PDB file of all heavy atoms in Angstrom:
ATOM      1  N   GLU A 159       0.816  -1.220   0.000  1.00 96.00           N
ATOM      2  CA  GLU A 159       0.000   0.000   0.000  1.00 96.00           C
ATOM      3  C   GLU A 159       0.846   1.265   0.000  1.00 96.00           C
ATOM      4  O   GLU A 159       0.538   2.232  -0.687  1.00 96.00           O
ATOM      5  CB  GLU A 159      -0.970  -0.020   1.173  1.00 96.00           C
ATOM      6  CG  GLU A 159      -2.044  -1.076   1.004  1.00 96.00           C
ATOM      7  CD  GLU A 159      -2.966  -1.176   2.206  1.00 96.00           C
ATOM      8  OE1 GLU A 159      -2.976  -0.255   3.041  1.00 96.00           O
ATOM      9  OE2 GLU A 159      -3.681  -2.195   2.293  1.00 96.00           O
ATOM     10  N   MET A 160       1.942   1.260   0.767  1.00 96.00           N
ATOM     11  CA  MET A 160       2.780   2.454   0.828  1.00 96.00           C
ATOM     12  C   MET A 160       3.474   2.695  -0.514  1.00 96.00           C
ATOM     13  O   MET A 160       3.551   3.832  -0.984  1.00 96.00           O
ATOM     14  CB  MET A 160       3.824   2.318   1.932  1.00 96.00           C
ATOM     15  CG  MET A 160       4.633   3.582   2.129  1.00 96.00           C
ATOM     16  SD  MET A 160       5.870   3.460   3.430  1.00 96.00           S
ATOM     17  CE  MET A 160       4.832   3.409   4.862  1.00 96.00           C
ATOM     18  N   LEU A 161       3.935   1.640  -1.157  1.00 96.00           N
ATOM     19  CA  LEU A 161       4.592   1.769  -2.458  1.00 96.00           C
ATOM     20  C   LEU A 161       3.605   2.279  -3.504  1.00 96.00           C
ATOM     21  O   LEU A 161       3.934   3.162  -4.297  1.00 96.00           O
ATOM     22  CB  LEU A 161       5.180   0.426  -2.891  1.00 96.00           C
ATOM     23  CG  LEU A 161       5.845   0.380  -4.262  1.00 96.00           C
ATOM     24  CD1 LEU A 161       7.049   1.336  -4.318  1.00 96.00           C
ATOM     25  CD2 LEU A 161       6.276  -1.033  -4.588  1.00 96.00           C
ATOM     26  N   ILE A 162       2.407   1.758  -3.499  1.00 97.00           N
ATOM     27  CA  ILE A 162       1.386   2.182  -4.470  1.00 97.00           C
ATOM     28  C   ILE A 162       0.996   3.638  -4.233  1.00 97.00           C
ATOM     29  O   ILE A 162       0.857   4.417  -5.178  1.00 97.00           O
ATOM     30  CB  ILE A 162       0.161   1.241  -4.415  1.00 97.00           C
ATOM     31  CG1 ILE A 162       0.584  -0.163  -4.870  1.00 97.00           C
ATOM     32  CG2 ILE A 162      -0.986   1.786  -5.262  1.00 97.00           C
ATOM     33  CD1 ILE A 162      -0.404  -1.254  -4.522  1.00 97.00           C
ATOM     34  N   ALA A 163       0.867   4.019  -2.964  1.00 97.00           N
ATOM     35  CA  ALA A 163       0.546   5.416  -2.640  1.00 97.00           C
ATOM     36  C   ALA A 163       1.671   6.342  -3.087  1.00 97.00           C
ATOM     37  O   ALA A 163       1.420   7.423  -3.639  1.00 97.00           O
ATOM     38  CB  ALA A 163       0.286   5.563  -1.141  1.00 97.00           C
ATOM     39  N   GLU A 164       2.914   5.924  -2.862  1.00 96.00           N
ATOM     40  CA  GLU A 164       4.045   6.738  -3.287  1.00 96.00           C
ATOM     41  C   GLU A 164       4.074   6.858  -4.810  1.00 96.00           C
ATOM     42  O   GLU A 164       4.327   7.936  -5.358  1.00 96.00           O
ATOM     43  CB  GLU A 164       5.360   6.148  -2.792  1.00 96.00           C
ATOM     44  CG  GLU A 164       6.558   6.985  -3.187  1.00 96.00           C
ATOM     45  CD  GLU A 164       7.878   6.429  -2.675  1.00 96.00           C
ATOM     46  OE1 GLU A 164       7.911   5.318  -2.126  1.00 96.00           O
ATOM     47  OE2 GLU A 164       8.881   7.125  -2.849  1.00 96.00           O
ATOM     48  N   ALA A 165       3.810   5.773  -5.513  1.00 95.00           N
ATOM     49  CA  ALA A 165       3.800   5.798  -6.976  1.00 95.00           C
ATOM     50  C   ALA A 165       2.747   6.769  -7.487  1.00 95.00           C
ATOM     51  O   ALA A 165       3.012   7.567  -8.403  1.00 95.00           O
ATOM     52  CB  ALA A 165       3.554   4.397  -7.527  1.00 95.00           C
ATOM     53  N   THR A 166       1.566   6.721  -6.898  1.00 96.00           N
ATOM     54  CA  THR A 166       0.490   7.629  -7.303  1.00 96.00           C
ATOM     55  C   THR A 166       0.901   9.074  -7.071  1.00 96.00           C
ATOM     56  O   THR A 166       0.723   9.940  -7.931  1.00 96.00           O
ATOM     57  CB  THR A 166      -0.799   7.296  -6.520  1.00 96.00           C
ATOM     58  OG1 THR A 166      -1.136   5.925  -6.765  1.00 96.00           O
ATOM     59  CG2 THR A 166      -1.948   8.187  -6.945  1.00 96.00           C
ATOM     60  N   HIS A 167       1.487   9.325  -5.906  1.00 94.00           N
ATOM     61  CA  HIS A 167       1.941  10.680  -5.563  1.00 94.00           C
ATOM     62  C   HIS A 167       3.043  11.157  -6.522  1.00 94.00           C
ATOM     63  O   HIS A 167       3.014  12.294  -6.992  1.00 94.00           O
ATOM     64  CB  HIS A 167       2.431  10.706  -4.113  1.00 94.00           C
ATOM     65  CG  HIS A 167       2.974  12.024  -3.689  1.00 94.00           C
ATOM     66  ND1 HIS A 167       2.172  13.132  -3.506  1.00 94.00           N
ATOM     67  CD2 HIS A 167       4.240  12.419  -3.435  1.00 94.00           C
ATOM     68  CE1 HIS A 167       2.936  14.152  -3.152  1.00 94.00           C
ATOM     69  NE2 HIS A 167       4.194  13.749  -3.099  1.00 94.00           N
ATOM     70  N   MET A 168       3.995  10.294  -6.810  1.00 90.00           N
ATOM     71  CA  MET A 168       5.096  10.673  -7.696  1.00 90.00           C
ATOM     72  C   MET A 168       4.608  10.969  -9.114  1.00 90.00           C
ATOM     73  O   MET A 168       5.146  11.849  -9.786  1.00 90.00           O
ATOM     74  CB  MET A 168       6.176   9.588  -7.706  1.00 90.00           C
ATOM     75  CG  MET A 168       6.877   9.412  -6.377  1.00 90.00           C
ATOM     76  SD  MET A 168       7.596  10.923  -5.707  1.00 90.00           S
ATOM     77  CE  MET A 168       8.991  11.131  -6.788  1.00 90.00           C
ATOM     78  N   LEU A 169       3.589  10.251  -9.572  1.00 92.00           N
ATOM     79  CA  LEU A 169       3.030  10.542 -10.895  1.00 92.00           C
ATOM     80  C   LEU A 169       2.299  11.881 -10.901  1.00 92.00           C
ATOM     81  O   LEU A 169       2.313  12.598 -11.903  1.00 92.00           O
ATOM     82  CB  LEU A 169       2.111   9.407 -11.347  1.00 92.00           C
ATOM     83  CG  LEU A 169       2.841   8.125 -11.724  1.00 92.00           C
ATOM     84  CD1 LEU A 169       1.842   7.006 -12.001  1.00 92.00           C
ATOM     85  CD2 LEU A 169       3.765   8.340 -12.914  1.00 92.00           C
ATOM     86  N   GLU A 170       1.669  12.226  -9.780  1.00 91.00           N
ATOM     87  CA  GLU A 170       1.041  13.549  -9.673  1.00 91.00           C
ATOM     88  C   GLU A 170       2.111  14.640  -9.746  1.00 91.00           C
ATOM     89  O   GLU A 170       1.927  15.658 -10.420  1.00 91.00           O
ATOM     90  CB  GLU A 170       0.255  13.663  -8.371  1.00 91.00           C
ATOM     91  CG  GLU A 170      -0.990  12.807  -8.341  1.00 91.00           C
ATOM     92  CD  GLU A 170      -1.623  12.725  -6.955  1.00 91.00           C
ATOM     93  OE1 GLU A 170      -1.115  13.365  -6.005  1.00 91.00           O
ATOM     94  OE2 GLU A 170      -2.629  12.011  -6.823  1.00 91.00           O
ATOM     95  N   ILE A 171       3.233  14.423  -9.058  1.00 85.00           N
ATOM     96  CA  ILE A 171       4.337  15.388  -9.088  1.00 85.00           C
ATOM     97  C   ILE A 171       4.919  15.484 -10.501  1.00 85.00           C
ATOM     98  O   ILE A 171       5.222  16.572 -10.983  1.00 85.00           O
ATOM     99  CB  ILE A 171       5.432  14.991  -8.074  1.00 85.00           C
ATOM    100  CG1 ILE A 171       4.917  15.198  -6.654  1.00 85.00           C
ATOM    101  CG2 ILE A 171       6.705  15.790  -8.309  1.00 85.00           C
ATOM    102  CD1 ILE A 171       5.848  14.679  -5.582  1.00 85.00           C
ATOM    103  N   ALA A 172       5.053  14.338 -11.176  1.00 83.00           N
ATOM    104  CA  ALA A 172       5.632  14.316 -12.529  1.00 83.00           C
ATOM    105  C   ALA A 172       4.781  15.097 -13.525  1.00 83.00           C
ATOM    106  O   ALA A 172       5.298  15.578 -14.532  1.00 83.00           O
ATOM    107  CB  ALA A 172       5.810  12.875 -12.994  1.00 83.00           C
ATOM    108  N   ALA A 173       3.492  15.229 -13.237  1.00 84.00           N
ATOM    109  CA  ALA A 173       2.601  15.954 -14.138  1.00 84.00           C
ATOM    110  C   ALA A 173       2.788  17.473 -14.034  1.00 84.00           C
ATOM    111  O   ALA A 173       2.373  18.213 -14.920  1.00 84.00           O
ATOM    112  CB  ALA A 173       1.152  15.587 -13.843  1.00 84.00           C
ATOM    113  N   ARG A 174       3.438  17.924 -12.956  1.00 83.00           N
ATOM    114  CA  ARG A 174       3.689  19.352 -12.765  1.00 83.00           C
ATOM    115  C   ARG A 174       4.976  19.752 -13.488  1.00 83.00           C
ATOM    116  O   ARG A 174       5.839  18.923 -13.733  1.00 83.00           O
ATOM    117  CB  ARG A 174       3.856  19.668 -11.277  1.00 83.00           C
ATOM    118  CG  ARG A 174       2.680  19.299 -10.440  1.00 83.00           C
ATOM    119  CD  ARG A 174       2.981  19.602  -8.988  1.00 83.00           C
ATOM    120  NE  ARG A 174       2.097  18.835  -8.118  1.00 83.00           N
ATOM    121  CZ  ARG A 174       2.375  18.508  -6.887  1.00 83.00           C
ATOM    122  NH1 ARG A 174       3.519  18.863  -6.334  1.00 83.00           N
ATOM    123  NH2 ARG A 174       1.514  17.813  -6.170  1.00 83.00           N
ATOM    124  N   PRO A 175       5.127  21.040 -13.773  1.00 79.00           N
ATOM    125  CA  PRO A 175       6.389  21.491 -14.375  1.00 79.00           C
ATOM    126  C   PRO A 175       7.552  21.241 -13.410  1.00 79.00           C
ATOM    127  O   PRO A 175       7.389  21.407 -12.197  1.00 79.00           O
ATOM    128  CB  PRO A 175       6.179  23.000 -14.587  1.00 79.00           C
ATOM    129  CG  PRO A 175       4.715  23.225 -14.481  1.00 79.00           C
ATOM    130  CD  PRO A 175       4.152  22.119 -13.639  1.00 79.00           C
ATOM    131  N   PRO A 176       8.705  20.843 -13.923  1.00 72.00           N
ATOM    132  CA  PRO A 176       9.839  20.585 -13.038  1.00 72.00           C
ATOM    133  C   PRO A 176      10.303  21.861 -12.343  1.00 72.00           C
ATOM    134  O   PRO A 176      10.303  22.928 -12.939  1.00 72.00           O
ATOM    135  CB  PRO A 176      10.920  20.049 -13.961  1.00 72.00           C
ATOM    136  CG  PRO A 176      10.490  20.375 -15.336  1.00 72.00           C
ATOM    137  CD  PRO A 176       9.019  20.603 -15.313  1.00 72.00           C
ATOM    138  N   ARG A 177      10.675  21.730 -11.060  1.00 72.00           N
ATOM    139  CA  ARG A 177      11.135  22.888 -10.285  1.00 72.00           C
ATOM    140  C   ARG A 177      12.649  22.954 -10.172  1.00 72.00           C
ATOM    141  O   ARG A 177      13.209  24.028 -10.046  1.00 72.00           O
ATOM    142  CB  ARG A 177      10.556  22.832  -8.871  1.00 72.00           C
ATOM    143  CG  ARG A 177       9.068  23.008  -8.830  1.00 72.00           C
ATOM    144  CD  ARG A 177       8.550  23.004  -7.424  1.00 72.00           C
ATOM    145  NE  ARG A 177       9.650  23.073  -6.470  1.00 72.00           N
ATOM    146  CZ  ARG A 177       9.535  22.912  -5.174  1.00 72.00           C
ATOM    147  NH1 ARG A 177       8.379  22.662  -4.658  1.00 72.00           N
ATOM    148  NH2 ARG A 177      10.574  22.984  -4.380  1.00 72.00           N
ATOM    149  N   VAL A 178      13.282  21.818 -10.143  1.00 72.00           N
ATOM    150  CA  VAL A 178      14.735  21.808  -9.969  1.00 72.00           C
ATOM    151  C   VAL A 178      15.354  20.787 -10.916  1.00 72.00           C
ATOM    152  O   VAL A 178      14.705  19.852 -11.346  1.00 72.00           O
ATOM    153  CB  VAL A 178      15.149  21.463  -8.515  1.00 72.00           C
ATOM    154  CG1 VAL A 178      14.699  22.538  -7.555  1.00 72.00           C
ATOM    155  CG2 VAL A 178      14.615  20.116  -8.095  1.00 72.00           C
ATOM    156  N   ASP A 179      16.612  20.999 -11.223  1.00 76.00           N
ATOM    157  CA  ASP A 179      17.372  20.026 -12.000  1.00 76.00           C
ATOM    158  C   ASP A 179      18.072  19.084 -11.034  1.00 76.00           C
ATOM    159  O   ASP A 179      18.437  19.479  -9.928  1.00 76.00           O
ATOM    160  CB  ASP A 179      18.441  20.716 -12.844  1.00 76.00           C
ATOM    161  CG  ASP A 179      17.853  21.605 -13.923  1.00 76.00           C
ATOM    162  OD1 ASP A 179      16.681  21.424 -14.261  1.00 76.00           O
ATOM    163  OD2 ASP A 179      18.582  22.480 -14.414  1.00 76.00           O
ATOM    164  N   LYS A 180      18.272  17.854 -11.440  1.00 78.00           N
ATOM    165  CA  LYS A 180      19.091  16.923 -10.668  1.00 78.00           C
ATOM    166  C   LYS A 180      20.433  16.846 -11.358  1.00 78.00           C
ATOM    167  O   LYS A 180      20.508  16.662 -12.565  1.00 78.00           O
ATOM    168  CB  LYS A 180      18.471  15.535 -10.603  1.00 78.00           C
ATOM    169  CG  LYS A 180      17.421  15.422  -9.543  1.00 78.00           C
ATOM    170  CD  LYS A 180      17.209  13.978  -9.152  1.00 78.00           C
ATOM    171  CE  LYS A 180      16.220  13.938  -8.024  1.00 78.00           C
ATOM    172  NZ  LYS A 180      15.971  12.623  -7.539  1.00 78.00           N
ATOM    173  N   VAL A 181      21.489  16.991 -10.584  1.00 80.00           N
ATOM    174  CA  VAL A 181      22.839  16.969 -11.124  1.00 80.00           C
ATOM    175  C   VAL A 181      23.564  15.774 -10.508  1.00 80.00           C
ATOM    176  O   VAL A 181      23.569  15.600  -9.303  1.00 80.00           O
ATOM    177  CB  VAL A 181      23.592  18.279 -10.795  1.00 80.00           C
ATOM    178  CG1 VAL A 181      25.011  18.235 -11.343  1.00 80.00           C
ATOM    179  CG2 VAL A 181      22.833  19.474 -11.349  1.00 80.00           C
ATOM    180  N   TYR A 182      24.161  14.961 -11.373  1.00 84.00           N
ATOM    181  CA  TYR A 182      24.908  13.790 -10.944  1.00 84.00           C
ATOM    182  C   TYR A 182      26.367  13.960 -11.354  1.00 84.00           C
ATOM    183  O   TYR A 182      26.649  14.356 -12.486  1.00 84.00           O
ATOM    184  CB  TYR A 182      24.359  12.516 -11.607  1.00 84.00           C
ATOM    185  CG  TYR A 182      22.957  12.171 -11.187  1.00 84.00           C
ATOM    186  CD1 TYR A 182      21.871  12.661 -11.910  1.00 84.00           C
ATOM    187  CD2 TYR A 182      22.730  11.369 -10.083  1.00 84.00           C
ATOM    188  CE1 TYR A 182      20.578  12.342 -11.517  1.00 84.00           C
ATOM    189  CE2 TYR A 182      21.435  11.061  -9.697  1.00 84.00           C
ATOM    190  CZ  TYR A 182      20.368  11.543 -10.413  1.00 84.00           C
ATOM    191  OH  TYR A 182      19.091  11.242 -10.038  1.00 84.00           O
ATOM    192  N   TYR A 183      27.255  13.694 -10.422  1.00 88.00           N
ATOM    193  CA  TYR A 183      28.697  13.711 -10.707  1.00 88.00           C
ATOM    194  C   TYR A 183      29.258  12.309 -10.593  1.00 88.00           C
ATOM    195  O   TYR A 183      28.894  11.572  -9.677  1.00 88.00           O
ATOM    196  CB  TYR A 183      29.450  14.594  -9.703  1.00 88.00           C
ATOM    197  CG  TYR A 183      29.316  16.067  -9.956  1.00 88.00           C
ATOM    198  CD1 TYR A 183      28.297  16.818  -9.383  1.00 88.00           C
ATOM    199  CD2 TYR A 183      30.227  16.725 -10.765  1.00 88.00           C
ATOM    200  CE1 TYR A 183      28.191  18.162  -9.609  1.00 88.00           C
ATOM    201  CE2 TYR A 183      30.131  18.091 -10.993  1.00 88.00           C
ATOM    202  CZ  TYR A 183      29.101  18.806 -10.413  1.00 88.00           C
ATOM    203  OH  TYR A 183      29.004  20.147 -10.643  1.00 88.00           O
TER     204      TYR A 183
END
């Protein structure tokens, strides 16, 4: 249930315009 709830939440966030860049070194 927690994983499914997180997935649903993350897809809602993904639908919004990005706020920050992720930088990997």
Side-chain angles (χ1 to χ4, degrees):
E159 291 176 16
M160 186 180 290
L161 177 62
I162 295 165
E164 181 179 7
T166 303
H167 177 70
M168 294 305 287
L169 288 173
E170 290 169 2
I171 290 173
R174 301 178 200 155
R177 293 182 10 189
V178 295
D179 294 341
K180 278 201 176 182
V181 179
Y182 295 91
Y183 283 90

